[in-house]
Each structure stands twice: as C-alpha cells, then as structure tokens.
C-alpha cells in the first residue's frame, strides 16, 4: 500500500466545494474526485449535503470543505501551475477567469470561487535564475508589464544583447 500524501492543501469554501472540485479536475490530466463526505443526522449541515470533497489535481491530493461564509480566500496563498506552452497558459487562463474570475497581474488570477492561481511558464524560473543579472532583470521588467504571461515576450527580453 502506498503511503499517504504527507501534506494536503485544505480549501475552505462557502457551499461550492463540490462544484469547485469538479471544475478543477476538468482542467488537468491525472485529476479526479476521490471521495465526497456528506453530513449525516448529527450535522452540522443539512443531512445529505456535501461537507468535504477529496480530489486530485495532476496527481496532487486536495481537500475542500463547505465551511460556510466565515472565511474567504486571500492572495496570501495561491496555486502555482507550471505550463510548458503558451497554448496551455492561454487555455488555463481562459477557463479559470471565465464566469466571474479575475485577471490580476504578473501571471496571477482569481477564479470564480475566489481562489488565487499563478499560471506561469516553466521556462520563467530558469530565466530568472540566470547567472547574468541583466538577463533576469529584463525578464522581470517584461513580466511586470503583463497580466497573463506571454512566453515570446519573456524570451525576447531574455535574449536581448
């Protein structure tokens, strides 16, 4: 038997945990709903309503709770997605900002549930770690002008002489 994942992100929703989990698993390969725990006779929610959803995104386990309106997501935590192509960035950006999501800046967005995401080209971190500080500074300056990452513009800034 495989050992359980040691650390699992636990996301607090008002009443949208199942809707959010279903939406998120539709976006990534190797993703699925693992379990749905419903309230029983003892509550605290209405009997049969969703309490917790366990799901997997790209092999990573998450839990989502319908905890009510007490707590809201903030930008202090986000989910970072490393993307291998502009097409992947564009697709995820479009789907995550649809139906009330918001573009923020520098590759950040909020989905319709208020959860913050960073949709970032995998290559970005390689460019930022370049030993030539002028190259990484140019990439940083280019990034600061973007909402959604544009890989071609980052590569252009990186390659300047």
């Amino acid at each position: 038997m495989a050992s359980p994942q040691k650390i699992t992100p636990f996301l607090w929703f008002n009443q949208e945990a199942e809707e959010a989990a279903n939406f998120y698993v539709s976006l990534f390969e190797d993703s699925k709903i693992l379990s749905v725990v419903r309230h029983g006779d003892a509550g605290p929610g209405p009997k049969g309503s969703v309490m917790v959803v366990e799901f997997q995104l790209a092999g990573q386990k998450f839990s989502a709770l319908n905890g009510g309106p007490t707590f809201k997501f903030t930008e202090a935590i986000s989910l970072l997605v490393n993307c291998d192509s502009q097409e992947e960035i564009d697709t995820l950006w479009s789907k995550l900002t649809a139906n009330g999501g918001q573009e923020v800046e520098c590759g950040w967005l909020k989905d319709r549930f208020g959860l913050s995401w960073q949709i970032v080209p995998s290559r970005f971190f390689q460019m930022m770690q370049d030993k030539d500080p002028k190259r990484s500074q140019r990439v940083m300056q280019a990034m600061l002008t973007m909402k959604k990452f544009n890989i071609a513009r980052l590569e252009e800034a990186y390659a300047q002489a």
Side-chain angles (χ1 to χ4, degrees):
M1 172 187 254
S3 63
Q5 180 175 299
K6 192 159 195 83
I7 298 173
T8 300
F10 195 88
L11 307 173
W12 181 299
F13 293 88
N14 183 1
Q15 292 298 320
E16 310 88 2
E18 188 172 33
E19 178 187 353
N22 283 320
F23 174 59
Y24 299 152
V25 301
S26 75
L27 300 175
F28 301 97
E29 291 183 20
D30 192 19
S31 299
K32 60 187 172 187
I33 301 295
L34 299 171
S35 68
V36 177
V37 177
R38 297 185 182 280
H39 291 284
D41 290 329
K47 183 177 180 179
S49 66
V50 173
M51 183 170 57
V52 176
V53 179
E54 291 186 321
F55 60 103
Q56 177 178 299
L57 297 181
Q60 169 77 40
K61 184 179 170 186
F62 290 79
S63 291
L65 169 73
N66 278 332
T70 306
F71 300 110
K72 304 280 186 221
F73 291 118
T74 75
E75 295 80 359
I77 189 163
S78 61
L79 301 180
L80 186 143
V81 181
N82 288 298
C83 298
D84 294 328
S85 68
Q86 189 65 49
E87 179 183 11
E88 185 179 13
I89 290 171
D90 294 346
T91 298
L92 286 172
W93 193 270
S94 175
K95 290 179 178 180
L96 286 165
T97 57
N99 301 317
Q102 301 173 308
E103 295 183 342
V104 182
E105 58 189 356
C106 304
W108 292 60
L109 62 84
K110 281 188 180 182
D111 68 25
R112 68 182 183 245
F113 305 104
L115 182 61
S116 292
W117 296 76
Q118 296 178 63
I119 308 302
V120 181
S122 301
R123 176 90 169 99
F124 176 73
F125 295 107
Q126 295 170 335
M127 290 186 274
M128 290 303 298
Q129 294 172 14
D130 194 284
K131 292 186 192 304
D132 179 352
K134 290 181 182 178
R135 293 181 106 178
S136 61
Q137 288 171 359
R138 287 192 307 266
V139 171
M140 177 62 75
Q141 288 301 317
M143 185 262 308
L144 290 172
T145 68
M146 300 176 192
K147 286 192 176 189
K148 177 179 68 174
F149 274 109
N150 180 308
I151 295 173
R153 284 182 46 212
L154 291 173
E155 290 288 359
E156 183 180 294
Y158 182 74
Q160 286 178 357

